[in-house]
Amino acid sequence: MAEKNVPPYLRIAAELRRRIADGELAPGDRVPSTRRIAQEWNVALATATKVLTALRQEGLVEARPRIGTVVAGPGGGDHGRTSAAGPTRTSARASSSPSPASAHAHAPDRELTRDRVVRAAVGIADSEGLAALSMRGVAARLGVAAMSPYRYVNSKEDLVFLMADAVLAEAEYPRDAPAGWRSRLELGARTLWALHRAHPWLAQIGPLTRPLAVPSLIAYSEWMLTALDGHGLDPATMLDLNALIYSYIQGTAVHLERETQAASATGLTDEQWMDSQAAAYGALVASGRFPTFAKVLGSFGDEGYDLRLDAMFELGLTSMLDGLTALMEGPGRARP
C-alpha cells in the first residue's frame, strides 16, 4: 500500500511503535497524549485517540489513571512489537491482514450498550482528561463505527452526565451513620475527595451555580444534609453549607487534572517545572519587597516547600469543620 494511502492514525501508530521498538520509549514511559499527538502531527483529537487505541489493542501501551498512557511492561505487548532483528509474527502478518484497529473499525456493534459507552468514556477521561473526550474518540476506543455511540447517548453533554453519575455511584455510605454531625461530614467529604482523586475530570463537570441533577450526586447531598439537619439551621443555611463543602472539594480537586494537563503541555514534571522557576523565585525573595514571604520560604532551607494536595485538603477540611462548630453547637442550637 502506498504511503499516501495509509490512514494518518496508522502512520502515527507506526512511528510510535518504532520509538518503542528502538527503546526511545521504555516500559513505563509516558507516550504522547492525544492532545500532544494532535499538535505534533496536526491531526484531529479523534485521530489521535485512534492512534492510542490501535497501540493499546496491540498490547504496546496501557492507560494508567492520573498518569496517562504509558508503554506496557514486559509481556504486555511483546506479541506485536518489532525489533532490530525484524518484525515478530504479528508484525509480519500485518502486511496481509488488517490491523486490530482497522479490523474492528466496521465490526458489528450488536453487543454495544450504554454501559460500555459510558465505561469507555470514563477510561478516556481518566487517562487523558475531559478535554480529550469526544464521541468519535469513544467509538474508536470501542472499535465501532463513529456514529454508533449516538444510539445510546444523545450528545457529549449527556455522556458527561452519565459518566458523573456512574463514578459518583462508586461512593459507599454506611447505613449506620457515624455518631455526631462532624464525623458524618468528614466521611462524606473524604469519600467525595477520594472519587475526585480516582477521576480527576470530575471537578470539571459544571459550575457550582449550575448544578446537574445527577442522582448519585444528590445521594451525596442527602448524606451531608442529614448531618446538618436537626441543629436549628434554616433550610437556606443547610443548602449553603452543603454547597460550601462541595465547592471546597471541587475547587481543590480541579488542580488534579490541571496538573496532568500542565505536565502534558510542557513535558515537565512538577519538580522540573519548579526547578525552571527557581531563578525567578530567588529574585523575588532577594528583592526585599516581600519580607514575610522570604522569611517563610527561607525557613525550609534547601529542601524547599512541597505543596501536597492531600495534606492541604485535610487542613482545609479541619479548619472548615472547626469553624462550623459554633454554628452547629452554639447557644440555643437544637440537638439532634
Side-chain angles (χ1 to χ4, degrees):
M1 180 182 295
E3 177 70 16
K4 64 180 181 180
N5 294 327
V6 177
Y9 83 93
L10 288 180
R11 293 201 302 269
I12 300 170
E15 169 59 20
L16 293 178
R17 193 181 298 114
R18 181 198 63 76
R19 295 180 188 179
I20 294 172
D22 292 348
E24 294 178 28
L25 292 172
D29 285 351
R30 288 185 61 186
V31 300
S33 66
T34 52
R35 187 167 297 278
R36 180 61 63 84
I37 291 173
Q39 293 172 344
E40 184 174 344
W41 279 277
N42 193 28
V43 295
L45 284 174
T47 299
T49 300
K50 291 179 69 174
V51 173
L52 296 181
T53 298
L55 296 176
R56 190 179 297 111
Q57 289 174 332
E58 294 177 40
L60 291 176
V61 302
E62 58 188 13
R64 295 183 183 174
R66 301 184 302 280
I67 296 177
T69 302
V70 302
V71 178
D78 292 342
H79 62 283
R81 297 194 183 200
T82 57
S83 66
T88 62
R89 289 193 300 274
T90 301
S91 299
R93 190 168 59 245
S95 62
S96 59
S97 302
S99 69
S102 60
H104 291 287
H106 302 289
D109 47 26
R110 291 187 299 273
E111 297 181 1
L112 196 61
T113 63
R114 173 179 285 186
D115 181 63
R116 285 191 63 203
V117 170
V118 171
R119 284 190 287 110
V122 169
I124 292 173
D126 282 352
S127 59
E128 303 293 339
L130 197 60
L133 180 67
S134 70
M135 297 293 279
R136 292 181 65 87
V138 172
R141 189 180 183 93
L142 291 168
V144 300
M147 299 302 290
S148 294
Y150 284 101
R151 299 210 314 266
Y152 304 91
V153 181
N154 293 328
S155 64
K156 179 179 175 179
E157 289 71 25
D158 289 342
L159 179 57
V160 172
F161 178 95
L162 294 171
M163 291 163 59
D165 194 36
V167 300
L168 287 165
E170 298 172 8
E172 295 183 359
Y173 303 107
R175 291 187 177 182
D176 296 329
W181 63 268
R182 182 171 183 136
S183 296
R184 192 179 182 100
L185 291 180
E186 284 179 336
L187 177 59
R190 291 195 179 108
T191 298
L192 190 61
W193 172 252
L195 286 177
H196 281 80
R197 262 297 194 186
H199 310 283
W201 54 269
L202 195 57
Q204 313 285 345
I205 61 173
L208 185 68
T209 53
R210 298 187 179 188
L212 298 175
V214 179
S216 298
L217 186 56
I218 301 302
Y220 159 80
S221 293
E222 174 71 15
W223 176 269
M224 302 298 273
L225 288 171
T226 303
L228 296 169
D229 196 20
H231 293 272
L233 302 177
D234 62 85
T237 299
M238 290 174 61
L239 288 173
D240 284 347
L241 291 175
N242 175 54
L244 179 65
I245 297 173
Y246 172 78
S247 66
Y248 166 67
I249 299 168
Q250 184 188 47
T252 305
V254 76
H255 298 286
L256 296 170
E257 186 163 1
R258 287 182 179 177
E259 178 182 334
T260 301
Q261 291 171 344
S264 177
T266 63
L268 301 175
T269 65
D270 290 345
E271 291 78 8
Q272 291 170 332
W273 188 86
M274 287 303 299
D275 287 343
S276 72
Q277 301 297 308
Y281 274 105
L284 289 172
V285 168
S287 70
R289 295 166 56 199
F290 314 104
T292 306
F293 177 79
K295 179 184 71 174
V296 173
L297 199 62
S299 67
F300 291 95
D302 294 335
E303 292 184 0
Y305 166 65
D306 182 19
L307 192 154
R308 296 166 296 172
L309 284 178
D310 288 302
M312 191 176 73
F313 166 76
E314 287 294 336
L315 175 62
L317 179 62
T318 299
S319 301
M320 185 178 296
L321 297 180
D322 285 347
L324 283 180
T325 301
L327 189 63
M328 298 289 287
E329 301 178 1
R333 289 298 179 192
R335 294 293 181 267

